[in-house]
C-alpha cells in the first residue's frame, strides 16, 4: 500500500527520490520521507500529508546526499504522523529502513527487542526491522547482508524494504517477500522502486525481485542473493514502457487521461487476440479443447472494481460456455470452505496483481490443485508469477486510484475468454463468434462518442452532485455496471451511492426513494425482456418521485416521459453494452467529484494497491 524508492549513483539523490515518490503517491499518501547519506551520516526528512509538504520542508531545510531511500505511506500501524512516517532508524541512528507491507509478529519482536534494551519511537510494525538488523550486527553478523538476512528470518508477514547503513556510504540494500519491489538498472545509476513507472525515465532494464531475495545496489553493479547468502542470477528484462505512459499528457488528472485512453486500450487488446480473422486466439493460455471438455466449473475471485468485472465475466461465461460459474470476493473466499477441485478453473482478476486477498485466494486454489488463470494488468506482479496462465489486460500503467481503463480492459478480456472457450466447447458457432467480434470492434468508437458527450454529462453531474446519496440500478449484464458506477461515485466524490439489481429494488431500497434521490437507471435498449423490465422498475421510481437519470440508447425517446435527465449512448448488443455504459458512469462520477472539489486521483483513505488483508 505504500510506495518505496531508492537511488545509488553519482547525482544528488534528493530530486530523484522526490520525483520517484510523487509518481508512487497513488499507492499511499498520508505521509512521506527520505533518508540520505551525507557527510554527517544519515540525514532524514519526514512530513505528514502529501509530498508537497516534504518538498516544502526540503525548501526550508535543504539537504543533499547520495545514495538515498524514500517512502510514501498509507498508514496501517499507527496514525499518519511524523513519528510514524518512514524511514525508521535503529537505536544508533546508523541504519535507516523504508518498508511496504506488514510485519505480522511485530509485537512479539518488539517485546523481544525491548528485553534486549532497544527503545522504540513509533507505533509502526516497521521499526522492528532496523532494530533487528542492529541487534544482528551486535550479535556478530559478518556483514550488513548477513545482518539483514538474520533479521528477516525472524519476521513474519510481507515486506519490500529499502535499507541504508551509515557505514556503507555507496550502497542501498533491498529485500522482498510478498510486496512488490523492482530493481532498475540505468547507465550509471541503479534504483529500487515499488513499480516501473516511478523510475522509468532513468532506467533501461529491470529485475523483478522474487520473494526471499535480497539486492545489493552499488554504483558499479547490482548483486542478488537469497537469505542464506547464495548469489543468484537474476532475469534482467528490458523496460518496455514508454516514459510518456506515466505522464498526465496535458490532462487535468490521471483519471481523465485514463478514461480517454479506453478506446485505444480496448482496440489494442481486441486486435491482439483476433488477428486470425474472425476468431479469438488465446492459444497461449493453454486451454486445450481436451482440458475444456473435462472442465466442470469456473471460480472467479477478485476485489473491488475487479470483482464487478468478475460478475460480468460470470454472466458472459455462463451465457456462452454452458459451464457453472461462480464468483467471490477475495476477502470472503479465503475464509470459506470452497468446493473447488481439479476440474475447476480458478480465475483471479486484478489490475495490480498484488491485492493481498486475491493472492491468498489464488494460493488456496493452488493447494486444491486447480488450474489458475489470471486476468491482470501488471507484468512481473505476484499474481502473474503464481498463475499457470495469464491473460494480460495491456491497459498500461493505471495511476488514478479509481480504476477505469483497467476495468473496461478486464471486461474485454472476459469477452475474449468467453468466446474462445465457448467455441472450443462447441457451445457457439463460428458465425456467432464472428458476429460478436464485429460487435466488439464497434466498442472503441462507441466509447469515443461517449467521451465526446462529456459536457452534457458534466451538466447532469453539476445538477445532482450535492445530494447525500444516489442509487444506481441495472439488470443482467448491466447489474455489475450499476455496482461499478456506484463505486466510482462514492470513491472519488464521497457521495454515498448504492448499486442494486433493479429487480431487487422493491425488496428494500425503494424505501429510500423520494423527490431528492438521484436514481441512475441503466436502460439501454438490448433484449426486449431486459429493457421492458428496466422500464417497469423506472416507473416504480417515477411513481415515488425519484429523480431518474437514464442511461439510454441513442434514439430512445420513450424514456423521456419519465427521466429527468438522459445520457444517450451509442447502440450496442446487450452482451457488450457494459463496456460502453460504464464510461458514462465513470464520467458522471468524475464530474460529480470535480463539482464537490475532491482530490480525484488520490481520494481520501484509499490506496491503489491493497497489499494488506
Ligand atoms: O489491483 P486490483 O484490481 O486487485 O485492485 C482491487 C481493488 O482494490 C480496486 O479495484 C479498487 O476497488 C479500486 N479503487 C476501484 O476503483
Amino acid at each position: 500500500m505504500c510506495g518505496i524508492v531508492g537511488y545509488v549513483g553519482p547525482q544528488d539523490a534528493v530530486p530523484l527520490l522526490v520525483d520517484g515518490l510523487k509518481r508512487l503517491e497513488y499507492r499511499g499518501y498520508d505521509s512521506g520521507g527520505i533518508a540520505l547519506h551525507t557527510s554527517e551520516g544519515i540525514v532524514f526528512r519526514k512530513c505528514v500529508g502529501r509530498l508537497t509538504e516534504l518538498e516544502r520542508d526540503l525548501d526550508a531545510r535543504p539537504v543533499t546526499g547520495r545514495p538515498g531511500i524514500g517512502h510514501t505511506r498509507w498508514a496501517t500501524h499507527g496514525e499518519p504522523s511524523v513519528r510514524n512516517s518512514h524511514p525508521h532508524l535503529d537505536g544508533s541512528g546508523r541504519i535507516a529502513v523504508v518498508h511496504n507491507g506488514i510485519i505480522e509478529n511485530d509485537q512479539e519482536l518488539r517485546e523481544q527487542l525491548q528485553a534486549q534494551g532497544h527503545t522504540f519511537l513509533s507505533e509502526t510494525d516497521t521499526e522492528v526491522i532496523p532494530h533487528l538488523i542492529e541487534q544482528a550486527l551486535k550479535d556478530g553478523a559478518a556483514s550488513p547482508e548477513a545482518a539483514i538476512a538474520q533479521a528477516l528470518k525472524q519476521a513474519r508477514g510481507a515486506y519490500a524494504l529499502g535499507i541504508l547503513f551509515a557505514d556503507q556510504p555507496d550502497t542501498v540494500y533491498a529485500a522482498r517477500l510478498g510486496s512488490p519491489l523492482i530493481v532498475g538498472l540505468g547507465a550509471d545509476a541503479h534504483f529500487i522502486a515499488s513499480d516501473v513507472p516511478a523510475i522509468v525515465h532513468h532506467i533501461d532494464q529491470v529485475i523483478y525481485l522474487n520473494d526471499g531475495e535480497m539486492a545489493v545496489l552499488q554504483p558499479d553493479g547490482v548483486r542478488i542473493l537469497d537469505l542464506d547468502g547464495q548469489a543468484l542470477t537474476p532475469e534482467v528484462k528490458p523496460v518496455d514502457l514508454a516514459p510518456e505512459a506515466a505522464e498526465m499528457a496535458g490532462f487535468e488528472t490521471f483519471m481523465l487521461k485514463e478514461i480517454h485512453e479506453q478506446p485505444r486500450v480496448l482496440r489494442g487488446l481486441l486486435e491482439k487476440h483476433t488477428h486470425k480473422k474472425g476468431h479469438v486466439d488465446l492459444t497461449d493460455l493453454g486451454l486445450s479443447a481436451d482440458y475444456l471438455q473435462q472442465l466442470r466449473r469456473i471460480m472467479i475471485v477478485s476485489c473491488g472494481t475487479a470483482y464487478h468485472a468478475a460478475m460480468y465475466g460470470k454472466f458472459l461465461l455462463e451465457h456462452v460456455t454452458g459451464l457453472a460459474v461462480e464468483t467471490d470476493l477475495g476477502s470472503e473466499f479465503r475464509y470459506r470452505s470452497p468446493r473447488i477441485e481439479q476440474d475447476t478453473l480458478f480465475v483471479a482478476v486484478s489490475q495490480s496483481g498484488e491485492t493481498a486477498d486475491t493472492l491468498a485466494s489464488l494460493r488456496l486454489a493452488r493447494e486444491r490443485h486447480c488450474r489458475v488463470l489470471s486476468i491482470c494488468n501488471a507484468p512481473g506482479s505476484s499474481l502473474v508469477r503464481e498463475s499457470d496462465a495469464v491473460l494480460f489486460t495491456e491497459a498500461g500503467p493505471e495511476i488514478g486510484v479509481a480504476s477505469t481503463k483497467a476495468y473496461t480492459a478486464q471486461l474485454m478480456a472476459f469477452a475474449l475468454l468467453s468466446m474462445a472457450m465457448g467455441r472450443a466447447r462447441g457451445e457457439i458457432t463460428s458465425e456467432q463468434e464472428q458476429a460478436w467480434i464485429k460487435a466488439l470492434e464497434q466498442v472503441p468508437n462507441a466509447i469515443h462518442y461517449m467521451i465526446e458527450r462529456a459536457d452534457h454529462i458534466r451538466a447532469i453531474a453539476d445538477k445532482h452532485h450535492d445530494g447525500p446519496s444516489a442509487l444506481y440500478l441495472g439488470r443482467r449484464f448491466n447489474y455489475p455496471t450499476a455496482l461499478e458506477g456506484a463505486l466510482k461515485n462514492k470513491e472519488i466524490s464521497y457521495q454515498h451511492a448504492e448499486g442494486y439489481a433493479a429487480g431487487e429494488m422493491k425488496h428494500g431500497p425503494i424505501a429510500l426513494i423520494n423527490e431528492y434521490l438521484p436514481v441512475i437507471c441503466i436502460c439501454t435498449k438490448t433484449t426486449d425482456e431486459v429493457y421492458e423490465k428496466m422500464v417497469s422498475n423506472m416507473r416504480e421510481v417515477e411513481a415515488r418521485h425519484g429523480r431518474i437519470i437514464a442511461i439510454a440508447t441513442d434514439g430512445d425517446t420513450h424514456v423521456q416521459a419519465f427521466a429527468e435527465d438522459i445520457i444517450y449512448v451509442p447502440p450496442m448488443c446487450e452482451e457488450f453494452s457494459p463496456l460502453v455504459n460504464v464510461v458514462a458512469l465513470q464520467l458522471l462520477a468524475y464530474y460529480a467529484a470535480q463539482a464537490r472539489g475532491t482530490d480525484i486521483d488520490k481520494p481520501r483513505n484509499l490506496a491503489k494497491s491493497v497489499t494488506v488483508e
Side-chain angles (χ1 to χ4, degrees):
M1 314 274 281
C2 308
I4 67 178
V5 66
Y7 167 78
V8 174
Q11 297 178 47
D12 174 22
V14 174
L16 294 162
L17 294 177
V18 172
D19 180 64
L21 289 178
K22 280 171 135 178
R23 294 171 192 277
L24 287 173
E25 211 177 4
Y26 71 91
R27 300 179 67 87
Y29 36 81
D30 58 39
S31 49
I34 57 172
L36 302 161
H37 250 291
T38 72
S39 51
E40 286 149 33
I42 292 180
V43 169
F44 61 90
R45 296 281 186 270
K46 297 180 182 191
C47 72
V48 180
R50 298 288 160 86
L51 289 167
T52 42
E53 297 303 320
L54 182 64
E55 289 181 294
R56 225 169 267 152
D57 189 24
L58 285 163
D59 283 345
R61 298 187 301 142
V63 59
T64 57
R66 62 169 194 268
I69 51 177
H71 189 266
T72 175
R73 180 166 186 249
W74 187 87
T76 55
H77 292 54
E79 57 165 10
S81 65
V82 169
R83 203 158 54 91
N84 287 332
S85 58
H86 302 214
H88 290 287
L89 302 177
D90 70 321
S92 69
R94 301 187 68 75
I95 305 167
V97 170
V98 289
H99 170 218
N100 171 26
I102 287 192
I103 306 300
E104 286 165 3
N105 56 339
D106 76 304
Q107 201 46 42
E108 175 190 323
L109 292 171
R110 195 176 261 251
E111 283 163 18
Q112 170 195 313
L113 287 158
Q114 277 165 337
Q116 290 170 307
H118 293 256
T119 305
F120 290 88
L121 303 177
S122 78
E123 299 152 85
T124 66
D125 53 330
T126 302
E127 201 182 353
V128 297
I129 300 287
H131 285 270
L132 283 172
I133 299 172
E134 181 190 16
Q135 187 60 42
L137 286 169
K138 274 189 195 153
D139 292 345
S143 63
E145 286 113 281
I148 294 170
Q150 223 168 294
L152 295 184
K153 283 180 180 172
Q154 298 174 69
R156 265 202 326 272
Y159 52 76
L161 297 166
I163 308 167
L164 274 188
F165 289 82
D167 305 331
Q168 306 287 324
D170 61 352
T171 313
V172 165
Y173 297 85
R176 172 198 153 122
L177 184 77
S179 297
L181 190 62
I182 58 150
V183 176
L185 309 176
D188 63 350
H190 308 308
F191 290 78
I192 56 166
S194 299
D195 69 19
V196 176
I199 51 172
V200 66
H201 297 75
H202 310 292
I203 60 168
D204 321 305
Q205 293 178 307
V206 62
I207 299 169
Y208 292 93
L209 280 189
N210 292 309
D211 282 348
E213 289 182 354
M214 232 196 313
V216 183
L217 287 79
Q218 291 174 315
D220 56 356
V222 170
R223 285 184 293 125
I224 308 293
L225 38 152
D226 65 20
L227 294 190
D228 293 323
Q230 294 296 317
L232 303 170
T233 309
E235 194 182 343
V236 181
K237 296 188 169 170
V239 173
D240 56 2
L241 178 69
E244 316 77 75
E247 303 291 347
M248 268 202 293
F251 286 92
E252 61 200 19
T253 59
F254 276 110
M255 183 175 171
L256 195 59
K257 177 191 172 217
E258 288 155 7
I259 289 173
H260 278 76
E261 283 175 332
Q262 293 178 106
R264 178 181 57 72
V265 166
L266 298 186
R267 190 174 292 118
L269 193 55
L270 181 63
E271 282 172 2
K272 177 169 178 189
H273 295 292
T274 53
H275 58 276
K276 289 189 183 150
K277 268 265 166 272
H279 288 299
V280 177
D281 181 6
L282 294 179
T283 354
D284 289 354
L285 302 187
L287 301 173
S288 66
D290 281 353
Y291 171 75
L292 291 173
Q293 283 307 334
Q294 59 85 38
L295 194 64
R296 290 289 159 268
R297 225 160 136 242
I298 302 176
M299 179 80 222
I300 316 174
V301 175
S302 46
C303 302
T305 283
Y307 178 67
H308 301 150
M311 287 176 72
Y312 169 76
K314 169 189 156 76
F315 293 152
L316 200 60
L317 281 160
E318 277 176 351
H319 187 55
V320 176
T321 68
L323 285 161
V325 187
E326 208 189 320
T327 49
D328 206 349
L329 296 161
S331 53
E332 289 297 318
F333 179 80
R334 62 187 295 193
Y335 295 109
R336 282 170 49 193
S337 311
R339 298 195 51 192
I340 47 170
E341 287 155 20
Q342 244 171 336
D343 61 2
T344 303
L345 173 66
F346 182 90
V347 181
V349 190
S350 173
Q351 187 286 128
S352 64
E354 301 292 349
T355 300
D357 288 320
T358 308
L359 271 169
S361 303
L362 175 154
R363 289 171 189 149
L364 178 60
R366 291 202 77 95
E367 279 169 23
R368 305 284 175 89
H369 308 290
C370 296
R371 190 183 168 81
V372 173
L373 165 67
S374 284
I375 295 179
C376 189
N377 198 39
S381 62
S382 305
L383 200 75
V384 165
R385 290 185 230 194
E386 295 184 34
S387 300
D388 295 306
V390 184
L391 177 47
F392 283 105
T393 40
E394 321 238 359
E398 190 180 64
I399 313 276
V401 165
S403 189
T404 51
K405 63 175 180 173
Y407 177 67
T408 45
Q410 287 161 354
L411 301 190
M412 177 63 88
F414 272 117
L416 295 167
L417 185 66
S418 304
M419 282 189 276
M421 288 177 71
R423 188 168 43 80
R425 286 176 54 83
E427 296 281 338
I428 56 165
T429 61
S430 281
E431 290 69 39
Q432 178 66 78
E433 186 183 12
Q434 281 171 20
W436 272 339
I437 291 174
K438 281 213 157 25
L440 279 173
E441 283 168 356
Q442 309 305 313
V443 166
N445 272 346
I447 293 179
H448 187 71
Y449 288 130
M450 271 326 309
I451 292 173
E452 285 192 337
R453 295 168 192 183
D455 284 346
H456 174 61
I457 298 175
R458 184 205 301 262
I460 295 174
D462 284 347
K463 192 168 147 195
H464 295 278
H465 74 266
D466 55 358
S469 193
L471 183 62
Y472 288 69
L473 301 176
R475 296 188 84 107
R476 198 147 82 171
F477 292 105
N478 280 300
Y479 165 36
T481 314
L483 298 182
E484 176 59 10
L487 178 67
K488 283 291 86 83
N489 190 13
K490 62 190 145 198
E491 72 180 332
I492 60 168
S493 84
Y494 315 151
Q495 180 183 49
H496 172 256
E498 290 249 15
Y500 246 85
E504 184 68 10
M505 179 184 64
K506 55 188 167 298
H507 299 289
I510 199 163
L512 297 172
I513 295 172
N514 61 20
E515 65 273 36
Y516 305 112
L517 185 78
V519 186
I520 296 90
C521 299
I522 305 162
C523 61
T524 39
K525 262 211 159 128
T526 51
T527 59
D528 286 351
E529 191 191 17
V530 168
Y531 175 74
E532 280 165 13
K533 294 272 182 272
M534 198 59 221
V535 167
S536 305
N537 297 138
M538 287 159 73
R539 290 282 189 200
E540 290 159 6
V541 175
E542 185 204 16
R544 286 150 188 91
H545 309 292
R547 302 179 68 182
I548 295 175
I549 303 168
I551 312 296
T553 305
D554 276 343
D556 180 356
T557 49
H558 181 54
V559 290
Q560 289 168 1
F562 42 87
E564 179 176 331
D565 289 294
I566 303 173
I567 300 174
Y568 279 113
V569 301
M572 183 58 57
C573 67
E574 186 190 359
E575 286 83 352
F576 306 132
S577 62
L579 283 89
V580 183
N581 295 346
V582 77
V583 179
L585 303 186
Q586 292 167 351
L587 288 166
L588 195 62
Y590 185 87
Y591 292 118
Q594 204 174 51
R596 291 167 74 105
T598 63
D599 186 343
I600 292 178
D601 277 342
K602 301 184 197 86
R604 71 181 174 210
N605 304 337
L606 285 171
K608 182 74 182 163
S609 172
V610 184
T611 54
V612 293
E613 254 193 72

